[in-house]
Amino acid sequence: MAAVSQGFKTDLLGAIPSLRAFAVSLTQNADKADDLVQETLVKAWDKHESFQPGTNLKAWLFTILRNEFYSQMRKRGREVQDSDGIMTARLAVHPAQHGQLDLKDFRGALEQLPEDQREAIILIGASGFSYEEAAEICGCAVGTIKSRVSRARTRLQEILKISGEDEYGPDAISTQVTGSPAS
């Protein structure tokens, strides 16, 4: 086995926050996400020789993470589901700030999206991948990713009952209190 280069190590460490964010979005559980990221890093380390320098390491890692997630999902076919969220709601702490409430609403809406749309909008909107990179990670055409993102955005607007740009940002009362201009 060839030695791992310092650049590979540095880039691998630099990708951890993005990998964790993507893993949390897939698993909906921080502990499972951490386990998934750890498994991804172990596999990447073991297979570092198959990575081609000069290509997109982050996309390669996201592909490993995604494939590992689906492998684990197939293995866990008989686990108890909490689709109605009753067990999760018992563990949740109710936020005190409007921003936290908005985030909770957004997460709930995100969970209602079909898995392929949720994955696409997270890769594009939250992880900062280009449509081409997201298509490579998901193993589909660029047009398919664009379509999934568009459908996801439309569906999120419907779920969150957002009809225009004036519904983003601080409300009129918050603007008066903080003195910041409304968007």
Side-chain angles (χ1 to χ4, degrees):
M1 182 179 233
V4 179
S5 73
Q6 187 61 40
F8 182 83
K9 292 176 190 176
T10 302
D11 292 345
L12 198 64
L13 291 173
I16 291 174
S18 298
L19 288 170
R20 187 170 190 283
F22 186 49
V24 168
S25 73
L26 292 173
T27 63
Q28 304 297 313
N29 178 297
D31 291 332
K32 286 182 182 179
D34 288 340
D35 292 342
L36 184 58
V37 170
Q38 181 177 349
E39 188 62 32
T40 299
L41 294 172
V42 167
K43 286 187 176 199
W45 191 266
D46 287 342
K47 301 292 183 187
H48 74 276
E49 293 172 338
S50 67
F51 174 70
Q52 298 175 6
T55 60
N56 190 336
L57 177 67
K58 198 171 178 184
W60 184 67
L61 292 170
F62 270 66
T63 302
I64 293 171
L65 187 140
R66 180 179 180 268
N67 291 343
E68 179 61 23
F69 171 72
Y70 286 124
S71 293
Q72 289 178 10
M73 291 301 292
R74 283 190 293 273
K75 290 177 188 175
R76 293 184 182 141
R78 288 174 266 148
E79 272 190 7
V80 174
Q81 298 294 318
D82 185 25
S83 57
D84 54 4
I86 291 174
M87 292 189 297
T88 304
R90 290 184 196 152
L91 300 174
V93 175
H94 296 288
Q97 302 292 326
H98 289 290
Q100 291 174 326
L101 292 172
D102 289 343
L103 183 58
K104 182 179 177 185
D105 290 344
F106 180 76
R107 284 183 177 157
L110 200 59
E111 289 175 17
Q112 293 179 43
L113 293 177
E115 194 170 303
D116 61 338
Q117 291 178 19
R118 182 174 58 240
E119 181 179 51
I121 200 155
I122 288 168
L123 286 171
I124 299 297
S127 298
F129 283 102
S130 68
Y131 287 107
E132 292 78 12
E133 291 168 329
E136 183 181 332
I137 290 167
C138 294
C140 64
V142 174
T144 303
I145 289 293
K146 288 181 178 182
S147 175
R148 289 176 183 173
V149 170
S150 176
R151 287 193 313 263
R153 286 178 178 150
T154 300
R155 184 67 184 124
L156 286 171
Q157 286 177 326
E158 291 169 359
I159 294 168
L160 295 170
K161 297 177 178 71
I162 296 172
S163 59
E165 289 183 20
D166 59 327
E167 296 185 30
Y168 293 101
D171 60 17
I173 296 171
S174 298
T175 303
Q176 290 175 356
V177 171
T178 61
S180 62
S183 320

